[in-house]
Amino acid sequence: KAGVTQTPRYLIKTRGQQVTLSCSPISGHRSVSWYQQTPGQGLQFLFEYFSETQRNKGNFPGRFSGRQFSNSRSEMNVSTLELGDSALYLCASSLSDGSTDTQYFGPGTRLTVL
Amino acid sequence: AQSVAQPEDQVNVAEGNPLTVKCTYSVSGNPYLFWYVQYPNRGLQFLLKYITGDNLVKGSYGFEAEFNKSQTSFHLKKPSALVSDSALYFCAVRDGTGGYQKVTFGIGTKLQVIP
């Protein structure tokens, strides 16, 4: 099976712009989670979707939003970009919404805000 | 609230020596514990997980981890380190009690295997 794919792999934006990142989960996986990774903070949880419903949300401002489509693909959007939003954004998929499920990660989208 | 601590920013070990990457956790219910590895410019790769049962869990690439409930620890180990094991390692926990909980990751430990 193909792994988790994320597009684009690299993005450069300027402050104030908005950006949309895309994640395609492993075929058959219905749960998608998003994380922000920065050197000083490690992985910070953004949100998690299962069957088009947001199950959990991390402590990020409302500028960060996401959604999941009926085919389980997910997008996250960041509006009014700030310099501090520069990070690696990782998407992970899992089979269902079970607590024992393993998350499988995509390669990430490297966002640079200038 | 659940949390994970990885007390060492970096671990250096000589090739062929045993390695240990430490992880302690805090959850109010039953812990589900995970280890992931990240190579440069890559996403995280799953190594192993503990859900229940045997306290010694074996995973990919010769890694294993020991769950210790009394010490709330889940240290990652490998009997003989390889240079190719050099990477960033993340421990993660999910509270398995009281409904669906998010996964919390540690800040990561950089493993450097010296030839």
Side-chain angles (χ1 to χ4, degrees), chain B residues 87-99:
Chain B
L88 189 57
Y89 290 80
F90 290 94
C91 180
V93 69
R94 171 180 268 162
D95 191 336
T97 309

Side-chain angles (χ1 to χ4, degrees), chain A residues 37 48 55 97 100 102-103, chain B residues 36 38 43 49 94 100:
Chain A
Q37 184 180 14
E48 181 169 11
R55 290 292 301 267
D97 62 343
T100 62
T102 298
Q103 293 184 326
Chain B
Y36 288 85
Q38 186 179 35
K49 68 180 178 183
R94 171 180 268 162
Y100 188 73

Side-chain angles (χ1 to χ4, degrees), chain A residues 26-81:
Chain A
I26 293 170
S27 178
H29 284 196
R30 298 170 63 194
S31 178
V32 173
S33 298
W34 289 89
Y35 296 87
Q36 181 194 67
Q37 184 180 14
T38 55
Q41 300 292 321
L43 271 77
Q44 300 293 309
F45 173 76
L46 281 156
F47 22 67
E48 181 169 11
Y49 289 89
F50 175 75
S51 292
E52 302 178 67
T53 300
Q54 189 178 87
R55 290 292 301 267
N56 274 300
K57 190 177 189 304
N59 298 322
F60 278 82
R63 300 185 296 108
F64 292 81
S65 63
R67 59 178 176 169
Q68 186 181 33
F69 302 96
S70 58
N71 61 358
S72 295
R73 190 177 69 85
S74 177
E75 288 181 347
M76 67 163 282
N77 184 277
V78 188
S79 62
T80 319
L81 284 166

Side-chain angles (χ1 to χ4, degrees), chain A residues 9-10 31 35 37 39-43 45 48 55-56 58 88 90 96-108 110, chain B residues 32 34 36 38 41-49 51 88 90 92 94-97 99-108:
Chain A
R9 292 293 311 277
Y10 302 92
S31 178
Y35 296 87
Q37 184 180 14
Q41 300 292 321
L43 271 77
F45 173 76
E48 181 169 11
R55 290 292 301 267
N56 274 300
L88 181 66
L90 292 166
S96 67
D97 62 343
S99 293
T100 62
D101 285 353
T102 298
Q103 293 184 326
Y104 294 92
F105 284 79
R110 173 76 61 186
Chain B
Y32 296 154
F34 306 81
Y36 288 85
Q38 186 179 35
N41 300 314
R42 302 278 295 276
L44 276 67
Q45 295 180 31
F46 170 72
L47 283 177
L48 50 82
K49 68 180 178 183
I51 303 301
L88 189 57
F90 290 94
R94 171 180 268 162
D95 191 336
T97 309
Y100 188 73
Q101 302 293 332
K102 67 178 184 180
V103 178
T104 297
F105 283 81
I107 202 161

